[in-house]
Amino acid sequence: MATTLRLPVSGGTLQDYTVVNTPLAAPQRPGGGHAFNRVAYAAAHVVVDPLADNDPWLDRNIDWERTIAFREYLWDLGLGVAEAMDTAQRGMGLDWTGAKELIANVQSAARQRPDALIAYGAGTDHLPPGPDIGIDDVIRAYEEQVAYVEGQGGRIILMASRALAAAAKSPEDYVRVYDRILRQVRQPVILHWLGDMFDPALSGYWGSRDDIEAMETAIAIINDHAGKVDGVKISLLSAEKEIVMRRRLDGAVKMYTGDDFNYAELIAGDEQGYSHALLGIFDAVAPAASAALQKLATDDLAGFHDILAPTVPLSRHIFKAPTRFYKTGVVFLSYLNGFQNHFQMLGGQQSARSVVHLAELFRLADKARVLRDPDIAAARMKTILATIGI
């Protein structure tokens, strides 16, 4: 029998919603691995310990067993893990001290798996922006975090820097910083261009508030150091801008889409190329991502879109403005799907979205067929509704 819930909608009313879709079958791993023709990373969230006796707005309380188990689940699906990134609440609940602990624990697990594809965010978030912070301070901060990740044996995602955005006076300052860091790294890195819709403190990155002008600086830096750059992830939520940049990269440099609005079309590509993936939404829709990428690897483009296209409305809802609060939706879906027994987050971020938003997320997750067990998901949705008197 189909499950029906009373869910809130805009305007302060309730409507019945009946769960109608069966979940996607878990993708199989023939021959012990996936044969993807795209590199695909899921930026992974952290699971908190809800029983920790601390101040949850101020203190870290990570459940390491559940956090590691979720990464194992992503690896089992053939996906890579982008660790200690925005999706893990980096800079919004997870500071550099906590990120170091996360990196060390996850790298320890990754060493046990030859198939574990993983890279770690290294930035400057332990350096608060301020009028006394100069370019040399930014360089030293990057060097410290890069050294830590490399000391753990990890590969680097070179994150955008709030301190650099505040300290830079011109595009040449970005050239100076990235030239210094890229010359030192041991392995090719993934550069990360995070738009200000994800982090307002990064407005004007690369020395211009005009994305096309900023792109000129970024492309010059990347192509000048192509041997030290595995790829670039851009998160501007603009397919057009990503394609423009993709077509101008050195042939050895990958474009990793970070566009959680348009990822299906960008991964599929066109006659002039395609994007790989480094996406927060792949945390939430991992089975669909894995199954779709398997279809794409066999040139079944229709099958790829049949699986992945229904996840796009869900992703656009999760990442709607204010986009930086998307982590709440990612963790909520993890709760609905049984990967954690609670809906708590670092810094109390579970409160960043309304119950109306979460109810629509439930509907869209059903339509995308990413509710692993609809009965369990419905029961958990009812638990959340009960907290507000429904």
Side-chain angles (χ1 to χ4, degrees):
M1 179 181 294
T3 301
T4 299
L5 301 85
R6 297 278 285 169
L7 295 178
V9 295
S10 295
T13 60
L14 302 175
Q15 289 183 359
D16 286 341
Y17 179 78
T18 301
V19 178
V20 295
N21 290 294
T22 57
L24 288 166
Q28 300 300 307
R29 299 193 69 180
H34 289 305
F36 296 163
N37 58 3
R38 305 287 189 270
V39 181
Y41 288 92
H45 74 283
V46 295
V47 182
V48 306
D49 176 6
L51 301 181
D53 184 10
N54 62 9
D55 295 307
W57 281 22
L58 304 175
D59 301 326
R60 293 183 309 278
N61 52 315
I62 295 177
D63 181 334
W64 292 114
E65 181 178 354
R66 294 279 182 144
T67 294
I68 300 299
F70 191 79
R71 278 113 182 105
E72 298 276 2
Y73 159 75
L74 294 173
W75 287 325
D76 286 344
L77 291 171
L79 299 172
V81 172
E83 189 57 271
M85 301 292 292
D86 193 53
T87 307
Q89 297 184 243
R90 187 78 176 265
M92 289 185 66
L94 185 73
D95 61 10
W96 173 233
T97 300
K100 287 194 290 185
E101 189 177 12
L102 177 62
I103 290 165
N105 278 284
V106 175
Q107 180 68 354
S108 179
R111 291 190 191 102
Q112 310 307 311
R113 292 187 60 138
D115 64 338
L117 175 64
I118 189 161
Y120 301 93
T124 68
D125 47 320
H126 61 296
L127 178 68
D132 297 329
I133 299 300
I135 298 302
D136 287 336
D137 298 307
V138 174
I139 290 172
R140 283 190 291 269
Y142 265 128
E143 288 174 338
E144 178 180 336
Q145 294 204 13
V146 166
Y148 181 82
V149 174
E150 291 185 335
Q152 293 291 320
R155 298 191 66 172
I156 289 167
I157 302 170
L158 202 61
M159 301 174 69
S161 165
R162 291 175 178 172
L164 177 55
K169 306 302 182 187
S170 69
E172 287 70 28
D173 286 332
Y174 289 87
V175 173
R176 179 182 165 198
V177 170
Y178 281 90
D179 177 75
R180 175 72 171 270
I181 301 304
L182 291 173
R183 287 180 183 276
Q184 297 180 61
V185 294
R186 297 176 186 173
Q187 300 182 71
V189 306
I190 299 173
L191 292 190
H192 189 194
W193 182 2
L194 193 67
D196 57 10
M197 68 288 294
F198 286 90
D199 186 346
L202 297 175
S203 179
Y205 212 74
W206 305 114
S208 176
R209 295 183 184 276
D210 181 286
D211 288 339
I212 299 301
E213 289 184 7
M215 192 181 295
E216 294 294 330
T217 301
I219 291 170
I221 291 170
I222 292 164
N223 289 348
D224 283 348
H225 297 276
K228 290 295 188 79
V229 180
D230 171 66
V232 56
K233 166 195 162 79
I234 67 168
S235 300
L236 301 179
L237 303 183
S238 167
E240 294 77 12
K241 292 174 184 176
E242 180 172 319
I243 291 169
V244 167
M245 188 172 186
R246 185 172 76 193
R247 291 176 178 171
R248 294 185 57 196
L249 293 175
D250 183 283
V253 177
K254 301 179 186 72
M255 170 60 75
Y256 288 94
T257 186
D259 188 335
D260 299 278
F261 282 9
N262 305 294
Y263 52 91
E265 63 184 88
L266 289 163
I267 295 169
D270 55 31
E271 66 281 356
Q272 297 186 52
Y274 54 80
S275 296
H276 301 272
L278 199 164
L279 290 159
I281 193 59
F282 274 12
D283 174 302
V285 302
S290 178
L293 288 167
Q294 288 186 62
K295 293 288 187 183
L296 188 62
T298 63
D299 295 322
D300 183 357
L301 188 60
F304 168 82
H305 284 298
D306 284 346
I307 295 170
L308 205 58
T311 70
V312 173
L314 170 64
S315 186
R316 291 183 175 184
H317 178 70
I318 289 175
F319 284 80
K320 70 184 293 186
T323 302
R324 63 188 182 277
F325 296 139
Y326 78 87
K327 280 81 76 174
T328 300
V330 169
V331 174
F332 184 64
L333 194 48
S334 178
Y335 165 67
L336 292 181
N337 278 330
F339 295 111
Q340 52 197 87
N341 293 326
H342 60 84
F343 177 41
Q344 299 290 306
M345 297 176 65
L346 295 175
Q349 285 286 316
Q350 69 273 8
S351 65
R353 295 293 200 188
S354 71
V355 72
V356 175
H357 178 93
L358 299 178
E360 180 63 10
L361 187 157
F362 181 92
R363 297 184 192 94
L364 292 170
D366 175 41
K367 293 173 183 177
R369 300 177 61 197
V370 295
L371 295 177
R372 289 206 307 168
D373 185 319
D375 290 337
I376 291 176
R380 291 185 169 205
M381 185 74 231
K382 289 178 180 178
T383 297
I384 296 300
L385 295 174
T387 66
I388 60 164
I390 297 176

